[in-house]
Amino acid sequence: MIKTRVVLVDDHILVRAGIRSLLEKMPNIEVAGEADHGRDAISLIKTTQPDVVLMDIAMKGLNGLETSLRIAKESPKTKILILTMLANEDFVAQALRNGARGYLLKDAATSELEQAISAVSEGKTYLSSSIARLVEKRKMVLDNSHQSPLEQLTPRQREILQLIAEGKSTKEIAHVLNVSAKTVETHRALLMDRLGIRDVPGLVRYAIRIGLVQPEP
């Protein structure tokens, strides 16, 4: 029997352990590895070349949407299945634009998880039932004329927005991204202009409101 090889990406250890336990009970699935954030996931996927990556959205450093975009470009044979608690139509649209084949909520039944992995591994698109109803209700058209303000930012600007919202300084962001502080400042000014936000606290509030980062407890 040829098994579907899956890489699991989630920044919560207990969540990963629980999902891995479920996957290991599925006879047609083999867990090829796991990562706790986007950058590690990209390297792991290049090394292991899995059939499917099962990935959360809300992760520190590089979220699942931006990670999906990079995986789709750098490892196109790996199918991406988003597994998240975020039932947000803008995130669904961006995930599918960024190369994801499926979008599943974490409250799905185990049988649906197995079904979703099987579908995306075969190149099909899979949306959990509640997401499919949301898409139908909103009549979401996945083209550039219907982009949200977040999607109108460049990938680098979205990455910087997330790092700003996580409390990183300009110097720290420059170090993480291996660019100059001036480059970071330029991107920050452009994303503020695009979003119509005038200060850093406003950027943080925006990122929390759309679910790009989670507020500190």
Side-chain angles (χ1 to χ4, degrees), residues 42 66 77 103 105 126 131 133 141 143 165 168 173:
I42 292 168
E66 299 307 318
K77 292 183 179 180
Y103 199 105
L105 297 182
Y126 189 94
I131 293 297
R133 288 194 297 271
V141 179
D143 61 30
K168 297 286 194 300
I173 295 172

Side-chain angles (χ1 to χ4, degrees), residues 66-81:
E66 299 307 318
T67 304
S68 295
L69 184 62
R70 297 191 186 188
I71 291 171
K73 290 180 178 178
E74 299 175 19
S75 302
K77 292 183 179 180
T78 296
K79 307 299 191 298
I80 302 164
L81 173 58

Side-chain angles (χ1 to χ4, degrees), residues 152-168:
Q152 292 173 23
L153 302 177
T154 66
R156 180 63 90 192
Q157 288 167 359
R158 290 194 297 267
E159 195 170 6
I160 288 173
L161 172 61
Q162 179 175 349
L163 292 169
I164 289 172
E166 290 174 359
K168 297 286 194 300

